Amino acid sequence: MDKINLGRTGPSVSVLGLGCMGMSGMYGPADRAESIATIRAALDAGIDLLDTGDFYGMGHNEMLVGEALASRSREDCLISVKFGALRDPAHQWNGYDARPNAVKNFLAYSLQRLRVDHIDIYRPARLDPDVPIEDTVGAIADMVKAGYVRHIGLSEVGADTIRRAAAVHPIADLQIEYSLISRGIEDNGILATCRELGIAITAYGVLSRGLISGHWDPAQKAQGDFRNASPRFQQGNVEANLQLVEALRKVAQGLDATVAQVAIAWVLAQGKDIVPLIGARKRERLQEAIGALALRLGDADLAAIEQAVPKGSAQGGRYPQAQLAHLDSER
């Protein structure tokens, strides 16, 4: 597994990361034993970056990751944690809290659930509109000094916020959605700002939550699956989006690859400073994703992919409008 440096000041990481969110019910029920086996298989394959959030399953995901890592050396992996998203007993979303005292409180609980003494990359899940980013990053910086955090990251914030955060403390990476059908960071100054400041991109949603994986079946949607409310999966949009997938499938067949592998390889081809987070919940899907590393897309391949899935061709937003309104990265 090749490795790169996560930004100018971050750690060395594998060129693929494992996003663990889907193992805690966000896409409907998941198999606990298979989830743990998938995390361990990722580590065995050389993937050392594991991404989680303290609100995934209200702590369930962190405990799952902690269990999977219990038999491993702490140095075998880098743990990235998002914090600050609030939930209620009905599992609904209830805003964000990134006050300095809240930062330290969330961190304490994450360390306990993960069974570790430090977190490698700690980041607010979203910008708290009531708290200056300088205050939030400053509080995490205090935890860096205390040894509980190694590096600071950001998530779904815009160019101005990135600059303000980086003025307080070095930022290793920005976690943000980036895929063939989610390319906003190319045009809104976010990617350019990160590159100017030496901040890496950890790209989530590289398969658009399964939509461009080549495996999506509308019958897959289950109770509790947040794709039930995602605009791109709604009737009228999903049919158009799946037509893009079929066009991409023709390109993939010419490369002797799967649709998912081509979609992942496209993200990898966008720069050495971009690390795709693979949201595999099963070992089978993990192995398929790792196969993307064997693809070396040339100019002709990239042109064929662009023709199959033109920029801006997806139907529907990446989140419902009410959620987009709260994304600093969309302003």
Side-chain angles (χ1 to χ4, degrees), residues 7-248:
R8 197 174 292 155
T9 63
S12 174
V13 302
S14 52
V15 294
L16 292 178
L18 181 66
C20 301
M21 181 188 77
M23 300 174 181
S24 294
M26 301 294 285
Y27 297 135
D31 184 291
R32 183 181 187 86
E34 181 62 21
S35 296
I36 291 173
T38 300
I39 293 171
R40 291 174 175 168
L43 294 172
D44 290 341
I47 294 175
D48 60 8
L49 178 62
L50 302 180
D51 182 75
T52 183
D54 62 10
F55 49 92
Y56 294 163
M58 284 73 75
H60 173 275
N61 202 244
E62 288 183 319
M63 290 188 287
L64 184 78
V65 171
E67 183 178 347
L69 298 178
S71 61
R72 305 284 180 141
S73 166
R74 178 65 182 89
E75 303 310 313
D76 283 350
C77 71
L78 295 153
I79 303 174
S80 168
V81 177
K82 292 181 291 297
F83 71 89
L86 305 176
R87 309 289 295 272
D88 68 19
H91 298 187
Q92 300 302 308
W93 302 98
N94 201 24
Y96 302 97
D97 189 352
R99 295 170 299 160
N101 282 342
V103 170
K104 297 170 186 178
N105 177 77
F106 288 134
L107 175 60
Y109 281 88
S110 287
L111 293 169
Q112 181 76 13
R113 286 188 290 255
L114 287 162
R115 311 182 196 181
V116 297
D117 62 2
H118 71 275
I119 288 170
D120 297 284
I121 310 161
Y122 201 51
R123 72 186 79 241
R126 299 288 187 268
L127 180 68
D128 183 338
D130 298 322
V131 180
I133 190 64
E134 291 87 348
D135 292 356
T136 302
V137 171
I140 306 174
D142 289 343
M143 296 296 93
V144 172
K145 292 177 184 176
Y148 297 116
V149 172
R150 295 283 170 84
H151 303 277
I152 300 178
L154 298 171
S155 177
E156 287 287 357
V157 293
D160 179 65
T161 301
I162 294 167
R163 291 186 184 280
R164 290 168 53 198
V168 176
H169 188 278
I171 303 298
D173 69 320
L174 170 70
Q175 189 174 122
I176 196 163
E177 186 169 359
Y178 188 46
S179 74
L180 267 170
I181 64 171
S182 295
R183 296 169 61 175
I185 66 170
E186 297 175 357
D187 301 322
N188 58 14
I190 290 176
L191 182 57
T193 298
C194 285
R195 285 179 166 163
E196 176 191 337
L197 298 176
I199 297 170
I201 298 289
T202 43
Y204 75 87
V206 294
L207 298 180
S208 297
R209 299 168 180 84
L211 182 59
I212 60 172
S213 67
H215 304 296
W216 174 250
D217 179 349
Q220 289 177 254
K221 290 198 294 185
Q223 185 175 3
D225 189 329
F226 86 96
R227 289 173 292 194
N228 292 333
S230 174
R232 289 180 176 169
F233 289 85
Q234 302 309 301
Q235 187 172 3
N237 289 339
V238 70
E239 294 84 358
N241 293 330
L242 289 177
Q243 288 180 10
L244 299 175
V245 175
E246 291 311 306
L248 188 61

Side-chain angles (χ1 to χ4, degrees), residues 18 38 41-42 47 280 282-291:
L18 181 66
T38 300
I47 294 175
K282 298 180 180 180
R283 284 168 286 182
E284 176 186 6
R285 294 290 180 247
L286 173 67
Q287 290 306 315
E288 179 184 18
I290 291 172

